[in-house]
Amino acid sequence: MILSVTLSKPAGNVEEKLGRNYLKIKIRAVNTADGASYAAEMFTKTQVFHKKFDEKELEDFLKANSGITFKNVVKRTDTEEITLLTNKKGKTTELRKKLSKSAVPEALEETRNAGLKVLPAGGFATHSPQALNHRKHYLLPEGTPVPFLVLLGIMNDEGKVISSRYDKFRQINRFLEFIDDILPEFAEKTADGQPLRIADFGCGKSYLTFAVHYFLTEIRHINCEIEGLDLKEEVITYCNDMAGKLGLKGLIFHTGNIADYSGANSPDIVITLHACDTATDYALKYAVERGARAILSVPCCQHQINTQLQNRGKTGGATGEVPQEFEPLLKWGIIREKFSSLVTDALRGEWLEQQGYKVQMLEFIDMEHTPKNILIRAVKKENGINKTNNPELINSLGITPELFK
């Protein structure tokens, strides 16, 4: 039985076929008084429309639009997830993934929450509603040993997450959700078997780098080439040793400075996690200059703007006094630091939009785990138009951010 369907990446003929220019359609199983068994949310740029289907109508709708009106279709049943990816030539690739024991109960619970009674398949009837409510579905599921997680001491040999490492396990899965969300942008490339190229700047011990490689190759079955870069030679040696022990192909690490880096191949995705201060800016510049389709960045240590604001707040400072309306934000060091971080990341978002990217500011993980919890996700627009004007905030504060030099 179909539990849910998501259709995305419209092919260009949506309005002609469906009457409106829908960007995405989400369909889920429900119970209704009139007998319809599926409810659809149909999203345009500014509105959401609703429609009901019975099973036959849904079957006809999917047959008429999967791979034709929408290039990407993800269908979930009570036993598997089926992904259809259609490239520019009209070739459709079908990917099937059996749902794990941790995934199936959640899929069933989502359906129960929608009011539909379903008999679970695969022997999961013993789960109580209370147990289902507390079960979390992760892209790297618990209970299944993942080699790199075992080697890193996050899981034991049976796939049980070590209690003291659960925050790291949760962080890894949260990041993979961000990766999974942007994969449709590369559907044509991956469907043709071309490698998805990723550069990870400031990779450190590379927990997330190994996670992305495993997720792409073992779960999504996508060919990829990932290169990690970090200043610390001992860290890079450690990562290459780990990749060798695990026998991983398409994953390599180098010692180097982001500001001076020049890779042989332009990346499709650039990742930068906690790259200190202007290292994040160098990574963003590199991504834009090399035409990266997507960027995932968790900034850290925004010293540059903090120092400039500190100087500007002093009489006779390098650039003069701060405008009066900003004085309360610079009076106390801890407030100035937080304000500087927000200003820095807001201007990074503005700059990326000027370069033709669609930008989102997202919460990476809860504040209780780390204060550096803003993730900048940027995806290149099809016809992004570059702009060169500086935001008024720069002139008002009298600052010179690295990206606007």
Side-chain angles (χ1 to χ4, degrees), residues 41-58:
E41 292 180 300
M42 310 172 79
F43 299 84
T44 67
K45 187 174 182 180
T46 58
Q47 293 177 289
V48 180
F49 296 88
H50 297 86
K51 183 178 176 64
K52 297 177 181 178
F53 296 97
D54 60 28
E55 291 189 23
K56 181 62 168 61
E57 289 170 337
L58 177 62

Side-chain angles (χ1 to χ4, degrees), residues 369-384:
H369 301 298
T370 174
K372 308 298 182 182
N373 74 323
I374 291 180
L375 182 139
I376 303 172
R377 183 166 68 190
V379 177
K380 187 75 172 176
K381 298 177 183 177
E382 291 290 343
N383 297 305

Side-chain angles (χ1 to χ4, degrees), residues 100 140-147 149-150 155 157-160 214:
S100 65
L140 299 183
E142 296 182 73
T144 302
V146 177
L149 291 179
V150 174
M155 275 184 173
D157 292 337
E158 287 74 43
K160 179 178 174 59
Y214 180 88

